[in-house]
Coordinates of all heavy atoms in Angstrom, one line a residue:
K41 N -4.1 52.8 9.5 CA -4.2 52.3 8.1 C -3.0 52.8 7.1 O -3.3 52.7 6.0 CB -5.5 52.6 7.5 CG -6.7 52.5 8.4 CD -6.8 51.0 8.7 CE -8.1 50.8 9.6 NZ -8.0 49.5 10.4
K42 N -2.0 53.2 7.8 CA -0.9 53.6 6.8 C 0.1 52.5 6.7 O 0.4 51.7 7.7 CB -0.1 54.9 7.4 CG 1.0 55.4 6.7 CD 1.6 56.6 7.4 CE 2.8 57.1 6.6 NZ 3.4 58.3 7.2
Y43 N 0.6 52.3 5.5 CA 1.6 51.3 5.3 C 3.1 51.7 5.8 O 3.5 52.8 5.5 CB 1.8 50.9 3.7 CG 0.6 50.1 3.3 CD1 -0.6 50.7 2.7 CD2 0.6 48.7 3.4 CE1 -1.6 50.0 2.3 CE2 -0.5 48.0 3.1 CZ -1.6 48.7 2.5 OH -2.7 48.0 2.1
M44 N 3.7 50.8 6.6 CA 5.0 51.0 7.1 C 5.9 50.1 6.5 O 5.7 48.9 6.2 CB 4.9 50.8 8.6 CG 4.0 51.7 9.4 SD 4.0 51.4 11.2 CE 3.6 49.7 11.1
R45 N 7.2 50.4 6.4 CA 8.2 49.5 5.8 C 8.9 48.9 6.9 O 9.6 49.6 7.7 CB 9.2 50.4 5.0 CG 10.1 49.5 4.1 CD 10.9 50.5 3.4 NE 11.8 49.6 2.4 CZ 12.7 50.1 1.7 NH1 13.1 51.4 1.7 NH2 13.4 49.2 0.9
V46 N 8.8 47.6 7.0 CA 9.4 46.9 8.0 C 10.6 46.0 7.5 O 10.4 45.4 6.4 CB 8.4 45.8 8.7 CG1 9.0 44.9 9.8 CG2 7.2 46.6 9.4
T47 N 11.7 46.0 8.1 CA 12.9 45.5 7.6 C 13.3 44.3 8.7 O 13.3 44.5 9.9 CB 14.1 46.4 7.5 OG1 13.8 47.4 6.7 CG2 15.3 45.7 6.9
K48 N 13.7 43.1 8.1 CA 14.1 42.1 9.0 C 15.5 41.5 8.3 O 15.5 41.4 7.1 CB 13.1 40.8 9.0 CG 13.4 39.8 10.0 CD 12.4 39.0 10.4 CE 13.0 37.9 11.4 NZ 12.1 36.9 11.8
R49 N 16.4 41.2 9.1 CA 17.6 40.8 8.7 C 17.8 39.2 8.9 O 17.6 38.7 10.0 CB 18.8 41.5 9.3 CG 18.8 42.9 9.0 CD 19.6 43.8 10.0 NE 20.9 43.3 10.3 CZ 22.0 44.0 10.1 NH1 22.0 45.0 9.4 NH2 23.2 43.3 10.3
Y50 N 18.2 38.5 7.9 CA 18.4 37.1 7.9 C 19.9 36.7 7.6 O 20.5 37.4 6.7 CB 17.5 36.4 6.9 CG 16.0 36.4 7.1 CD1 15.3 37.5 6.5 CD2 15.4 35.5 7.9 CE1 13.9 37.6 6.7 CE2 14.0 35.8 8.1 CZ 13.3 36.8 7.5 OH 11.9 36.9 7.6
K51 N 20.4 35.9 8.3 CA 21.8 35.2 8.0 C 21.5 34.2 7.0 O 20.7 33.2 7.3 CB 22.4 34.8 9.3 CG 22.8 36.0 10.1 CD 23.8 35.5 11.2 CE 24.3 36.6 12.0 NZ 23.3 37.1 12.9
A52 N 22.3 34.3 5.9 CA 22.1 33.2 4.8 C 23.5 32.6 4.4 O 24.5 33.3 4.5 CB 21.4 33.8 3.6
H53 N 23.4 31.3 4.1 CA 24.6 30.7 3.8 C 25.1 31.1 2.3 O 24.3 31.0 1.4 CB 24.4 29.2 3.7 CG 25.6 28.3 3.5 ND1 26.8 28.2 4.5 CD2 26.1 27.5 2.5 CE1 27.7 27.5 4.0 NE2 27.3 27.1 2.8
D54 N 26.3 31.5 2.2 CA 26.9 31.9 1.0 C 28.2 31.2 0.8 O 29.3 31.8 1.2 CB 27.0 33.4 0.9 CG 27.6 34.0 -0.4 OD1 27.6 33.2 -1.3 OD2 28.2 35.1 -0.2
A55 N 28.3 30.0 0.2 CA 29.4 29.3 0.1 C 30.5 30.0 -0.8 O 30.2 30.4 -2.0 CB 29.2 27.9 -0.5
G56 N 31.7 30.3 -0.3 CA 32.7 30.9 -1.0 C 32.6 32.4 -1.0 O 33.5 33.0 -1.6
N57 N 31.8 33.0 -0.3 CA 31.6 34.3 -0.2 C 31.5 35.0 -1.5 O 32.4 36.0 -1.9 CB 32.7 35.0 0.6 CG 32.5 34.8 2.1 OD1 32.4 33.6 2.6 ND2 32.5 35.8 2.9
T58 N 30.6 34.6 -2.4 CA 30.5 35.1 -3.8 C 29.8 36.5 -3.8 O 30.0 37.2 -4.7 CB 29.7 34.1 -4.6 OG1 28.4 33.9 -4.1 CG2 30.5 32.8 -4.6
K59 N 29.0 36.8 -2.8 CA 28.1 38.0 -2.8 C 28.8 39.2 -2.1 O 29.6 39.0 -1.1 CB 26.6 37.8 -2.3 CG 26.0 36.7 -2.9 CD 25.7 37.0 -4.3 CE 25.0 35.7 -5.1 NZ 25.0 35.8 -6.4
K60 N 28.6 40.4 -2.6 CA 29.1 41.6 -2.0 C 28.0 42.4 -1.5 O 26.8 42.1 -1.7 CB 29.9 42.4 -3.0 CG 31.0 41.6 -3.8 CD 32.2 41.7 -2.9 CE 33.4 41.1 -3.8 NZ 33.5 39.7 -3.9
E61 N 28.3 43.4 -0.6 CA 27.4 44.3 0.0 C 26.6 45.0 -1.2 O 27.3 45.5 -2.1 CB 28.0 45.3 0.9 CG 28.4 44.7 2.2 CD 29.0 45.6 3.3 OE1 28.6 46.8 3.1 OE2 29.9 45.3 4.1
G62 N 25.2 45.1 -1.1 CA 24.5 45.9 -2.0 C 24.0 45.0 -3.2 O 23.1 45.5 -3.9
D63 N 24.4 43.8 -3.2 CA 23.9 42.9 -4.2 C 22.4 42.4 -3.9 O 22.1 42.2 -2.7 CB 24.7 41.5 -4.3 CG 26.0 41.7 -4.9 OD1 26.2 42.9 -5.5 OD2 26.8 40.8 -4.9
R64 N 21.5 42.4 -4.9 CA 20.1 41.9 -4.7 C 20.2 40.4 -4.9 O 20.7 39.9 -5.8 CB 19.2 42.5 -5.7 CG 19.1 44.0 -5.5 CD 17.9 44.5 -6.4 NE 17.7 45.9 -6.1 CZ 16.8 46.4 -5.2 NH1 16.1 45.5 -4.5 NH2 16.6 47.6 -5.0
V65 N 19.6 39.6 -3.8 CA 19.7 38.2 -3.8 C 18.4 37.6 -3.5 O 17.5 38.4 -3.0 CB 20.7 37.7 -2.9 CG1 22.1 38.1 -3.3 CG2 20.5 38.1 -1.4
E66 N 18.2 36.3 -3.7 CA 17.0 35.6 -3.3 C 17.4 34.4 -2.5 O 18.5 33.8 -2.7 CB 16.3 35.1 -4.6 CG 14.9 34.5 -4.3 CD 14.2 34.1 -5.6 OE1 14.5 34.6 -6.7 OE2 13.2 33.4 -5.4
I67 N 16.9 34.4 -1.2 CA 17.2 33.4 -0.3 C 16.1 32.4 -0.1 O 14.9 32.7 -0.3 CB 17.6 34.0 1.1 CG1 16.4 34.8 1.6 CG2 18.8 34.9 1.0 CD1 16.7 35.4 3.1
A68 N 16.5 31.1 0.2 CA 15.4 30.1 0.4 C 15.7 29.3 1.7 O 16.9 29.2 2.1 CB 15.6 29.0 -0.7
S69 N 14.7 29.0 2.3 CA 14.8 28.3 3.6 C 15.4 27.0 3.4 O 15.2 26.3 2.4 CB 13.4 28.1 4.3 OG 12.6 27.3 3.5
C70 N 16.2 26.4 4.4 CA 16.8 25.1 4.3 C 16.9 24.6 5.8 O 16.5 25.2 6.8 CB 18.2 25.2 3.7 SG 19.3 26.2 4.5
R71 N 17.6 23.4 6.0 CA 17.8 22.9 7.2 C 18.7 23.9 8.1 O 19.4 24.6 7.5 CB 18.4 21.5 7.2 CG 19.8 21.6 6.6 CD 20.4 20.2 6.6 NE 21.8 20.3 6.1 CZ 22.9 20.7 6.6 NH1 22.9 21.1 7.8 NH2 24.0 20.8 6.0
P72 N 18.6 23.9 9.4 CA 19.5 24.8 10.2 C 21.0 24.4 9.9 O 21.3 23.3 10.2 CB 19.1 24.5 11.6 CG 17.7 24.0 11.5 CD 17.6 23.2 10.3
I73 N 21.7 25.4 9.5 CA 23.2 25.3 9.4 C 23.9 25.6 10.6 O 25.0 25.1 10.9 CB 23.6 26.2 8.1 CG1 22.8 25.6 6.9 CG2 25.1 26.1 7.9 CD1 23.1 26.5 5.6
S74 N 23.4 26.6 11.4 CA 24.0 27.1 12.6 C 22.9 27.6 13.4 O 21.7 27.5 13.1 CB 25.1 28.0 12.5 OG 24.5 29.3 11.9
K75 N 23.3 28.1 14.6 CA 22.2 28.6 15.6 C 21.2 29.6 15.0 O 20.1 29.6 15.1 CB 22.9 29.3 16.8 CG 21.9 29.8 17.9 CD 22.7 30.5 19.0 CE 21.8 31.1 20.0 NZ 22.5 31.7 21.0
E76 N 21.7 30.6 14.1 CA 20.9 31.6 13.5 C 20.7 31.5 12.0 O 20.0 32.3 11.4 CB 21.5 33.0 13.9 CG 21.6 33.3 15.3 CD 22.1 34.7 15.7 OE1 23.0 35.1 14.9 OE2 21.7 35.3 16.6
K77 N 21.5 30.6 11.5 CA 21.5 30.6 9.9 C 20.7 29.3 9.4 O 21.0 28.3 9.7 CB 23.0 30.3 9.5 CG 23.1 30.6 8.0 CD 24.6 30.8 7.6 CE 25.5 29.8 7.9 NZ 26.8 29.9 7.3
H78 N 19.6 29.7 8.9 CA 18.6 28.7 8.3 C 18.0 29.1 6.9 O 17.0 28.7 6.5 CB 17.5 28.4 9.3 CG 16.8 29.6 9.8 ND1 17.1 30.1 11.0 CD2 15.7 30.3 9.4 CE1 16.5 31.2 11.2 NE2 15.7 31.3 10.3
F79 N 18.9 29.9 6.2 CA 18.6 30.2 4.8 C 19.8 30.0 3.9 O 20.9 30.1 4.5 CB 18.1 31.7 4.6 CG 16.6 31.9 5.1 CD1 16.3 32.1 6.4 CD2 15.6 31.8 4.1 CE1 15.0 32.3 6.8 CE2 14.4 32.0 4.5 CZ 14.0 32.3 5.8
R80 N 19.6 29.9 2.7 CA 20.7 29.9 1.8 C 20.5 30.7 0.6 O 19.3 31.0 0.2 CB 21.0 28.4 1.3 CG 19.8 27.8 0.6 CD 20.2 26.3 0.2 NE 19.0 25.7 -0.3 CZ 18.4 25.8 -1.4 NH1 19.0 26.6 -2.3 NH2 17.3 25.2 -1.7

Side-chain angles (χ1 to χ4, degrees):
K41 311 301 184 205
K42 182 178 179 179
Y43 284 97
M44 302 179 299
R45 191 176 188 192
V46 178
T47 303
K48 186 162 181 185
R49 291 160 53 112
Y50 295 96
K51 288 189 175 76
H53 185 69
D54 178 23
N57 286 54
T58 58
K59 304 298 178 197
K60 305 274 187 285
E61 290 182 28
D63 290 352
R64 292 186 175 275
V65 294
E66 192 168 343
I67 58 175
S69 62
C70 62
R71 64 176 178 79
I73 298 169
S74 67
K75 180 181 176 183
E76 296 178 333
K77 192 162 62 165
H78 47 268
F79 281 89
R80 59 183 165 78

